[in-house]
Amino acid sequence: MTALAADRARYDRATAHLDAPLALVDLDAFDANAEDLVRRAGGKPVRVASKSVRCRALLERVLARDGFQGIMSFTLAESLWLARSGFEDVLLAYPSADRAGFAELAADPKLAGAVTVMVDDPAQLDLIDAARGGGREVVRVCLELDTSLRLLGGRVRVGARRSPLHSPAQLAELARSVARRPGFRLVGVMAYEGHIAGVGDAVAGRPLRSRAIRLMQTAARRELAERRAAVVRAVRAVVPDLEFVNGGGTGSVQHTAAEDAVTEIAAGSGLYVPRLFDNYTSFTGRPAALFAQPVVRRPGVGVVTVLGGGYPASGAAGPDRLPVPYLPEGLAYDPQEGPGEVQTPLLGSPADDLLIGDKVWFRHAKAGELCERFDALHLIEGDTVTATVPTYRGEGHTFL
């Protein structure tokens, strides 16, 4: 029996009493992935990206481990909910226009002490001030650095279009604006190098493309390390008591941790290891989060149909955004249909061994987005479900 066949047998035994559709997290794999993130971080704390987990119980589990510290959240409403739930260090990784949320933040000492918001434009400070509604608490602020690699005088750009702040002078100027402004305190700098951390460099069947990605990432890491160090020096000249400099992502943990200017690493997808993280030379993780769909039809030889399964991930539309049939090995989508809203035909010789009611296990393309489809995660150890915990959705929250 292959290792994957053994995993399938475990998952089927663990969930034999449960009807699909369902989602599970293999805690042995989850914990091993967490341990590997800490190892790669080389002694610097890892801040957990909540959007890649979207389950309070699993956030609590990973933060109880040595080497993890704090949460990186994705909306202000989520940040406030987590802070009210007892999480004491929440960094909102994206600017917000949630006026009601800012009014709540500015009026509550506990929330204001636990949550740090992201800005990259003085207009965002104006919005927060206008939304205070009488709240006088000091708002903790982090500045975001644009990490994109710019070539040929800026005519070529590689990287996500996020912050407009690219140079040390731009960051220092906004730092001075925050420092001069009553009601705000600058505490951190963040830089997410998505073109390094979020792009696989070993694309199956594409050796030339993979080499080009590796060359780009090597150049981008070198350029960003120098620029990030200069940015931190410039900001610390304005705010000497800066609390943290956050960088990285699952695909670049060890490289970012090697920079002296960085004090903490962000990561989250590396806990679940969705399919988008299969194509990396920098690390190898264990798939920990899966979902199962039941076989409901057998249309013919070499074909079964499962219920639902059309769960595309965000990003530029393409085959890499689709979940993939994982277990049993050897199943594939019908190219004329793909994964469907209500039913999904699957082709391949393993279909002939599947019976009505059997489970087919899938891997989602992006980590936490799976949890928008399910209200609970079944946590398994070995071949036993040891707990069933709610996702954000299961607790009545769909933040974005």
Side-chain angles (χ1 to χ4, degrees), residues 7 52 74 80 93 98 100 228 255 286 295 310 340 349-350 352 387 399:
D7 282 341
S52 300
F74 62 100
L80 300 177
D98 181 354
R228 180 154 40 198
H255 300 297
R286 292 172 55 184
V295 174
S349 58
D352 295 331
F399 292 110

Side-chain angles (χ1 to χ4, degrees), residues 31-365:
D31 290 343
N33 292 335
E35 183 177 344
D36 189 58
L37 287 172
V38 171
R39 178 191 62 80
R40 291 166 58 207
K44 292 185 177 179
V46 178
R47 184 180 291 272
V48 184
S50 63
K51 76 178 181 64
S52 300
V53 179
R54 303 193 201 202
C55 171
R56 277 200 302 167
L58 290 176
L59 289 172
E60 291 168 352
R61 181 183 185 91
V62 72
L63 284 170
R65 300 179 66 94
D66 290 340
F68 288 88
Q69 180 178 307
I71 287 177
M72 177 176 282
S73 58
F74 62 100
T75 75
L76 182 56
E78 180 214 14
S79 305
L80 300 177
W81 177 65
L82 290 172
R84 286 194 297 269
S85 301
F87 295 95
E88 297 179 347
D89 180 5
V90 182
L91 169 62
L92 174 57
Y94 307 87
S96 176
D98 181 354
R99 291 176 174 83
F102 283 126
E104 186 177 355
L105 177 68
D108 188 315
K110 177 183 176 181
L111 298 180
V115 175
T116 301
V117 303
M118 192 66 60
V119 301
D120 56 36
D121 190 313
Q124 294 155 350
L125 301 174
D126 294 339
L127 186 148
I128 295 170
D129 266 339
R132 284 178 181 271
R136 297 179 180 231
E137 296 299 322
V138 172
V139 175
R140 293 167 53 87
V141 167
C142 178
L143 307 184
E144 181 171 2
L145 166 66
D146 168 41
T147 64
S148 65
L149 176 64
R150 299 183 182 181
L151 305 170
L152 301 178
R155 293 190 294 277
V156 175
R157 173 196 179 105
V158 181
R161 297 182 182 277
R162 293 175 62 114
S163 170
L165 306 176
H166 190 80
S167 69
Q170 290 174 313
L171 273 289
E173 181 180 355
L174 187 53
R176 285 189 288 270
S177 295
V178 175
R180 290 194 299 261
R181 193 155 183 158
F184 295 92
R185 181 183 170 206
L186 179 57
V187 298
V189 172
M190 187 195 85
Y192 171 59
E193 51 266 45
H195 52 303
I196 303 171
V199 177
D201 63 347
V203 184
R206 304 287 296 276
L208 294 179
R209 177 175 174 79
S210 299
R211 177 170 171 75
I213 291 172
R214 287 194 290 272
L215 290 172
M216 175 276 291
Q217 291 179 337
T218 297
R221 281 197 299 267
R222 184 181 304 117
E223 185 276 337
L224 178 59
E226 295 176 359
R227 182 159 52 89
R228 180 154 40 198
V231 163
V232 172
R233 287 194 299 271
V235 173
R236 287 194 185 278
V238 179
V239 184
D241 59 345
L242 203 65
E243 294 179 13
F244 64 85
V245 176
N246 181 282
T250 289
S252 69
V253 170
Q254 64 269 41
H255 300 297
T256 308
E259 296 182 32
D260 291 338
V262 175
T263 67
E264 64 175 38
I265 308 300
S269 295
L271 296 169
Y272 287 169
V273 187
R275 63 165 295 206
L276 281 180
F277 285 87
D278 287 347
N279 302 321
Y280 284 76
T281 58
S282 61
F283 81 105
T284 301
R286 292 172 55 184
L290 309 171
F291 69 91
Q293 303 294 105
V295 174
V296 292
R297 284 178 168 162
R298 292 171 49 88
V301 175
V303 186
V304 292
T305 301
V306 298
L307 184 70
Y311 304 157
S314 61
D320 66 341
R321 301 291 140 169
L322 300 179
V324 290
Y326 180 53
L327 300 172
E329 296 178 83
L331 293 173
Y333 294 125
D334 182 334
Q336 300 302 313
E337 296 194 48
E341 177 187 7
V342 179
Q343 67 173 27
T344 296
L346 298 171
L347 313 180
S349 58
D352 295 331
D353 296 323
L354 291 170
L355 304 176
I356 300 295
D358 284 352
K359 296 180 177 76
V360 174
W361 296 92
F362 292 75
R363 292 175 66 201
H364 201 263

